[in-house]
Amino acid sequence: MKKVAVIWSSPNVDGLTASCKNQFIQGLAEAGAQVEEIHLNKKKIEHCRACGNGWGTCNKTGSCVLQDDFAEIYQTLAEADGIVWISAVYWSDMTECFKAFFDRLRRCDATKNHFLAEKRCILMACAGGTGRGTIECLTQLERGLTHMGMRVYDRISVVRYNKDYVLPMLPEAGKTYANILETGFNMYY
């Protein structure tokens, strides 16, 4: 049984982003995956302080000096076989708490630890407003994941316009992802 971390961010636990997360998790569970859900809005995550000369202990030891929920979440991601990244979209980007976590994660993982290298990921950006900005958000997220050596299986854009046909397909997407993690499908880069 594969372990999948689903890390998501939205202040609205009943909105579009949460619905997408729930549908995808349903598919993961149906395929037998062990799911660890991480709701960043409910965690204590401070912003990077760019310690010292801009590179603190993250560059030297792969750990962060800030004492909050970051290290526990990072450990969960490192132990997962796959990671699903889901964010609401604000101004064509991830949510602020998602960015705070992600900035620190990049500093620890890309420069020192490489615990997340080769992890296979799914990216989802959910925009309830105009829907503009999901592609930019997914691009920004993938750029950061690439710095850490992760591989993206799929990028899913969900907006008010397409939610009626995308939401029903997300359980199947979750099943497919769980099965691909199990069978070892590899993509060339």
Side-chain angles (χ1 to χ4, degrees), residues 30-96:
E30 288 174 9
Q34 178 185 340
V35 177
E36 177 77 28
E37 181 182 333
I38 303 161
H39 186 193
L40 288 173
N41 294 70
K42 300 213 183 265
K43 301 292 185 179
K44 183 177 189 273
I45 303 291
E46 294 185 40
H47 291 274
C48 176
R49 295 188 184 147
C51 304
N53 63 355
W55 289 99
T57 60
C58 55
N59 192 36
K60 295 177 183 93
T61 68
S63 63
C64 183
V65 298
L66 300 174
Q67 298 298 307
D68 57 12
D69 294 328
F70 172 80
E72 176 186 337
I73 298 168
Y74 186 17
Q75 184 66 36
T76 298
L77 298 180
E79 293 171 358
D81 296 302
I83 305 170
V84 180
W85 305 88
I86 306 172
S87 182
V89 176
Y90 299 138
W91 295 284
S92 302
D93 210 344
M94 301 165 261
T95 67
E96 286 74 6

Side-chain angles (χ1 to χ4, degrees), residues 58 60-64 70-83 85 101 104-121 145 147-151:
C58 55
K60 295 177 183 93
T61 68
S63 63
C64 183
F70 172 80
E72 176 186 337
I73 298 168
Y74 186 17
Q75 184 66 36
T76 298
L77 298 180
E79 293 171 358
D81 296 302
I83 305 170
W85 305 88
F101 174 78
R104 290 171 59 195
L105 183 68
R106 269 191 307 204
R107 284 178 169 267
C108 290
D109 204 74
T111 60
K112 179 68 177 168
N113 295 331
H114 312 289
F115 296 151
L116 305 180
E118 300 301 318
K119 297 274 184 190
R120 305 316 200 249
C121 306
L145 295 175
H147 290 160
M148 292 180 271
M150 286 184 255
R151 295 185 177 201

